[in-house]
Amino acid sequence: FGLQWALALNHDRGMAAFLTNIVYWLGMAQGAFMFAVALTLTKARWGRSLKRIAEAFVIVVPFIYIALVLWLLLGGIDIYPWTTEAMPAHKAVWLQKGFFFCRQVIGLGIVMGFSFAYIRVSWRPDLGMMQQKLGDAAPAWWNWFIGDWKGLEAEVEASEKWQRIYGVLTAISYSLVYSMVAIDLEMSLAPHWFANMFPAWYFMSAFWSGLVGLGLYSILARNWLGLSTLLTPTVYHDLGKLTFALCMFWGYTTYAQY
């Protein structure tokens, strides 16, 4: 309803507002997931009780991805000035509708692929152990995660190894693809303006927003999830310090960009 109202008032502004929401929530969801990846790559234990919640954030990314693709297909791309204005040769090569569309679809698809591959190896030991306890009562979809089960000890070792591999691939692709997303989806709305810091500012801000979203959601849902005894004040104190550090970094890069 809100989108229809915005489009009725001003079509281009409504489409731009919808795009801004997509970019924000896409960044927050993927950014929260990157917290789990960061814990894995640094072998950090303090945030273990938040890891599964952080991983769950990425489940919403495919829905936002579909919304973005539909937005592009239904004429959203036409709000970009470069679709009708003549661009300098070096920008005209990059800012082409077909190439633009493929970059978003393929780039974000790669990050999602690595993210879900990470989730599969991360969840596998836990789901395999629970299936052994639950027997026939275990959900059938768990089999996608735990096919060819090799025993808990071997699975834990393999899971840690593959989490680090997929974590590195996810982190690299996240920084590159979300830099591209910042340039394409946001910066090219003003195609004659550019800022070298803007791409890194966006993907780091998305990580920061993800930490904020993770903290708020875990506080609101911890009783429902049965995690009150694990999500201790110490955990939130450490998460708060990390969030504050990234807040300062965001402020610094925002001022530096200005």
Side-chain angles (χ1 to χ4, degrees):
F1 174 78
L3 176 60
Q4 291 177 334
W5 179 69
L7 292 175
L9 290 176
N10 186 305
H11 181 271
D12 286 353
R13 285 182 179 271
M15 294 295 274
F18 185 71
L19 172 65
T20 300
N21 275 274
I22 287 176
V23 172
Y24 176 79
W25 292 109
L26 180 68
M28 171 181 270
Q30 187 69 45
F33 175 76
M34 296 310 297
F35 174 72
V37 173
L39 290 176
T40 297
L41 297 183
T42 59
K43 297 184 179 181
R45 299 295 181 184
W46 66 267
R48 177 66 185 177
S49 55
L50 291 165
K51 186 172 185 284
R52 288 288 183 255
I53 303 175
E55 290 173 344
F57 268 73
V58 83
I59 295 174
V60 77
V61 170
F63 298 99
I64 304 174
Y65 175 78
I66 292 171
L68 174 61
V69 172
L70 290 175
W71 181 86
L72 291 170
L73 291 175
L74 295 176
I77 198 170
D78 293 329
I79 71 170
Y80 290 96
W82 51 263
T83 60
T84 55
E85 294 180 12
M87 291 287 110
H90 64 285
K91 291 189 176 183
V93 172
W94 182 258
L95 298 176
Q96 301 179 46
K97 282 188 176 181
F99 188 28
F100 181 92
F101 180 82
C102 290
R103 287 199 301 273
Q104 315 316 312
V105 173
I106 296 173
L108 290 172
I110 290 172
V111 180
M112 281 196 302
F114 286 142
S115 299
F116 279 90
Y118 174 94
I119 281 182
R120 186 175 184 272
V121 297
S122 176
W123 291 4
R124 182 178 168 92
D126 288 358
L127 295 181
M129 180 178 62
M130 289 304 300
Q131 188 186 54
Q132 290 178 337
K133 292 183 178 181
L134 295 175
D136 294 337
W141 62 266
W142 286 9
N143 292 327
W144 183 78
F145 287 85
I146 56 179
D148 193 27
W149 180 256
K150 296 181 177 62
L152 183 59
E153 185 175 345
E155 292 292 347
V156 169
E157 182 178 353
S159 174
E160 292 179 352
K161 171 188 172 182
W162 283 105
Q163 280 184 69
R164 289 192 291 271
I165 293 173
Y166 286 125
V168 169
L169 294 173
T170 304
I172 293 172
S173 61
Y174 167 73
S175 61
L176 294 176
V177 171
Y178 277 72
S179 292
M180 180 194 71
V181 165
I183 295 170
D184 284 352
L185 296 183
E186 290 293 314
M187 191 186 296
S188 72
L189 286 168
H192 301 290
W193 173 83
F194 64 91
N196 293 338
M197 294 187 67
F198 188 78
W201 176 84
Y202 169 68
F203 80 74
M204 287 303 298
S205 296
F207 182 57
W208 171 47
S209 299
L211 293 183
V212 175
L214 174 63
L216 290 173
Y217 177 77
S218 62
I219 290 172
L220 295 173
R222 59 185 173 183
N223 292 332
W224 174 65
L225 294 171
L227 297 175
S228 299
T229 56
L230 298 175
L231 296 173
T232 62
T234 301
V235 171
Y236 285 114
H237 186 73
D238 291 337
L239 179 64
K241 288 187 290 185
L242 182 58
T243 304
F244 179 61
L246 283 171
C247 177
M248 295 178 66
F249 178 79
W250 174 86
Y252 157 70
T253 52
T254 301
Y255 180 76
Q257 183 171 257
Y258 171 77

